[in-house]
Amino acid sequence: MKKLVSFILICVSLFLASMQMASANDSDPVSMLQSLANQMIANLKANKATLKTNPSLVYSLARKIVVPHADLAEMSKRVLPPQIWNSATSSQRAQFESEFTTLLVRTYASALSDYTDQTVEFRPVRGGSAGKTTVRVDSQIIRSDGAPINVNYSLIYQGSNWKLYDMTVEGVSLIESFRSQFSDKVAQGSDMAGLIQYISAHNNKNNK
């Protein structure tokens, strides 16, 4: 649970930034992540009271910021067993992505009010990012009440922007964690329709 909370906090640090920051050197993945993290920290400090007392605002902010900076189509594909994704219709894939996006956003939003002045330090990409279509960016969450937490980001270059498609916290991968969860449901007999129903029920339950 401690790792999950830490993971959620760093996810928030990536995305809780003004959409106006999209113009900030998106061709450099490290600069882009650091800029977003810096803006996140400023927003969290400025809006602590509002974030704690207005959950709907927290959710809407997370929805607005997460989607533009994450490759949700790629994430949706990677979290499912290949046979499930390949056999699904285009409509089912779109519906799964929509429900999975809601699941991710609610996960991020649920931790926003827990921010306690953590900071983030990013390291340069090994070998640089020029000419690459995928990179890994390593970082640490610096805490005043414990040892630093290692976080690695996997990004893919699309058009003129870097987008996140996976991250690991102390060796625990977001994609692999969800894939394990969904694979268990498949092993119990679920197909794509069943998975969509499962996530939708979970999202609707948390919406009450």
Side-chain angles (χ1 to χ4, degrees):
M1 180 60 69
K2 184 176 180 181
K3 286 186 176 181
L4 177 59
V5 172
S6 299
F7 159 72
I8 293 172
L9 286 170
I10 193 62
C11 287
V12 173
S13 75
L14 276 174
F15 301 120
L16 190 62
S18 167
M19 288 302 293
Q20 294 177 351
M21 289 303 298
S23 61
N25 200 4
D26 286 351
S27 61
D28 177 5
V30 178
S31 295
M32 189 261 300
L33 294 178
Q34 186 69 69
S35 180
L36 291 176
N38 292 342
Q39 286 294 311
M40 176 281 297
I41 291 171
N43 276 275
L44 285 178
K45 288 182 176 180
N47 295 286
K48 271 188 176 182
T50 303
L51 295 175
K52 288 179 178 294
T53 59
N54 192 347
S56 62
L57 175 60
V58 175
Y59 174 75
S60 63
L61 285 173
R63 164 72 70 172
K64 180 180 180 181
I65 303 304
V66 171
V67 173
H69 293 285
D71 188 343
L72 293 164
E74 184 69 16
M75 294 174 78
S76 298
K77 178 180 179 179
R78 287 173 179 256
V79 297
L80 291 178
Q83 70 273 18
I84 296 296
W85 182 263
N86 293 335
S87 62
T89 65
S90 57
S91 176
Q92 286 178 320
R93 291 177 181 177
Q95 190 175 358
F96 178 86
E97 181 180 333
S98 176
E99 294 292 349
F100 183 58
T101 298
T102 298
L103 176 62
L104 286 173
V105 170
R106 290 188 185 282
T107 301
Y108 302 146
S110 68
L112 283 173
S113 62
D114 293 332
Y115 175 73
T116 55
D117 298 324
Q118 294 91 341
T119 60
V120 188
E121 293 183 357
F122 295 94
R123 300 188 182 94
V125 175
R126 293 182 181 180
S129 60
K132 296 181 180 178
T133 56
T134 60
V135 297
R136 191 184 83 170
V137 177
D138 298 332
S139 75
Q140 286 188 327
I141 304 176
I142 308 301
R143 304 179 295 167
S144 60
D145 59 349
I149 300 172
N150 295 312
V151 183
N152 312 116
Y153 305 89
S154 296
L155 299 99
I156 187 169
Y157 196 63
Q158 293 185 342
S160 59
N161 300 300
W162 287 99
K163 290 196 173 184
L164 181 77
Y165 69 87
D166 194 13
M167 61 178 66
T168 63
V169 178
E170 295 293 348
V172 179
S173 162
L174 165 69
I175 293 298
E176 290 180 3
S177 296
F178 276 113
R179 183 187 295 136
S180 176
Q181 178 181 347
F182 295 144
S183 292
D184 287 344
K185 299 299 294 185
V186 171
Q188 296 169 16
S190 291
D191 55 9
M192 179 61 109
L195 290 174
I196 292 171
Q197 183 178 16
Y198 166 71
I199 302 177
S200 177
H202 178 81
N203 289 337
N204 289 334
K205 179 180 179 180
N206 289 339
N207 194 37
K208 293 179 179 179

